[in-house]
Amino acid sequence: MKKKEFPKVTVILRGYDYDQVNSVMEVLADKGEHFAVEVTLNSPDVFETIERVADQYGEALFIGAGTVLDLEDAKKAIEAGAQFILSPIMLEKETLDYCKERGIKTIPAGMTPTEVYQLFQNGADIVKLFPATSMELSHFKAMKGPLGELPLMAVGGVNSHNTNDFLNGGASYVGIASGIFNKEDILSKNKAALTKSLEAFEERVFHNRKVVSQ
């Protein structure tokens, strides 16, 4: 893996086949500094897709599996080549341990201080607060008050218009499902439109970002 730091933005691809995922990968191929890619397990032929994109792009981009719910899911995803796993729920410690032993980054979900604390105690690398837009933005900074400077990821309702709000408001990372690319462009593998959407996102988020003190 050439990229040592986990990127600020994870692109979440849910429900797409290999060719559709690959059209996004081709657009993101040289963007590993800023983007990771998650393919959710509720996608068609998902393990084959993960294996193929990890083979093709795994040196340039972090390729991971999402919607991982248990140890069996994690094992299959890692066997396919996933370099990190995300979950919409709190993962069991045995799952976190299994991943840590294999150098796989884990990003389970929590919301309350107790859940977040327990997940980090059990070995999570990053904890995603989900769904992010169902809580006040101040929730991220408030969480860090008693618990310290923790790597938190905002997922759920994140888009190009609020990404910087989350990153400036206490989140270290964001996960974005439909907030960068139009679903229709992915389905039709419209690389010109995908490239245009990515450029617009980069311009709004990376080029115009003003980081405030945390």
Side-chain angles (χ1 to χ4, degrees):
M1 190 61 171
K2 292 179 181 177
K3 303 297 181 184
K4 294 183 179 179
E5 298 297 326
F6 196 75
K8 290 287 184 186
V9 179
T10 295
V11 177
I12 301 169
L13 298 176
R14 183 183 304 279
Y16 301 110
D17 64 24
Y18 165 75
D19 289 330
Q20 292 158 347
V21 169
N22 190 57
S23 67
V24 176
M25 299 305 302
E26 289 180 350
V27 170
L28 292 171
D30 62 348
K31 306 287 186 178
E33 178 182 355
H34 292 308
F35 298 97
V37 178
E38 165 198 347
V39 183
T40 67
L41 295 194
N42 53 354
S43 301
D45 301 316
V46 64
F47 298 114
E48 179 184 350
T49 295
I50 291 173
E51 182 175 12
R52 293 177 70 179
V53 296
D55 241 13
Q56 293 171 271
Y57 306 101
E59 287 298 312
L61 289 155
F62 280 93
I63 308 297
T67 321
V68 174
L69 301 178
D70 53 33
L71 180 58
E72 197 58 36
D73 282 349
K75 287 180 177 180
K76 290 178 180 177
I78 294 167
E79 184 178 351
Q83 299 161 337
F84 65 95
I85 64 168
L86 286 94
S87 178
I89 63 172
M90 293 180 66
L91 291 171
E92 299 291 336
K93 188 176 187 303
E94 65 171 344
T95 303
L96 299 175
D97 288 344
Y98 182 88
C99 293
K100 188 172 290 292
E101 289 166 4
R102 288 153 182 79
I104 304 300
K105 191 174 291 292
T106 54
I107 312 173
M111 184 174 283
T112 69
T114 299
E115 291 170 348
V116 171
Y117 178 79
Q118 181 179 333
L119 285 169
F120 280 118
Q121 287 294 106
N122 287 346
D125 294 293
I126 299 168
V127 171
K128 76 177 192 182
L129 299 192
F130 172 80
T133 51
S134 70
M135 61 189 80
E136 294 289 336
L137 185 61
S138 59
H139 190 76
F140 288 83
K141 280 189 177 180
M143 187 77 70
K144 292 182 175 183
L147 298 182
E149 192 61 31
L150 301 172
L152 302 175
M153 177 183 283
V155 181
V158 182
N159 56 50
S160 62
H161 297 282
N162 62 19
T163 289
N164 284 337
D165 293 335
F166 283 109
L167 292 176
N168 290 332
S172 301
Y173 308 94
V174 296
I176 304 180
S178 57
I180 299 179
F181 302 110
N182 294 320
K183 181 176 181 178
E184 294 75 15
D185 294 335
I186 300 177
L187 291 173
S188 64
K189 296 168 282 189
N190 186 338
K191 280 183 245 180
L194 293 171
T195 299
K196 186 175 180 180
S197 294
L198 180 63
E199 289 173 349
F201 178 86
E202 290 181 304
E203 179 66 27
R204 181 181 291 274
V205 172
F206 298 126
H207 300 162
N208 294 330
R209 187 178 176 208
K210 181 178 180 181
V211 181
V212 298
S213 173
Q214 296 183 19

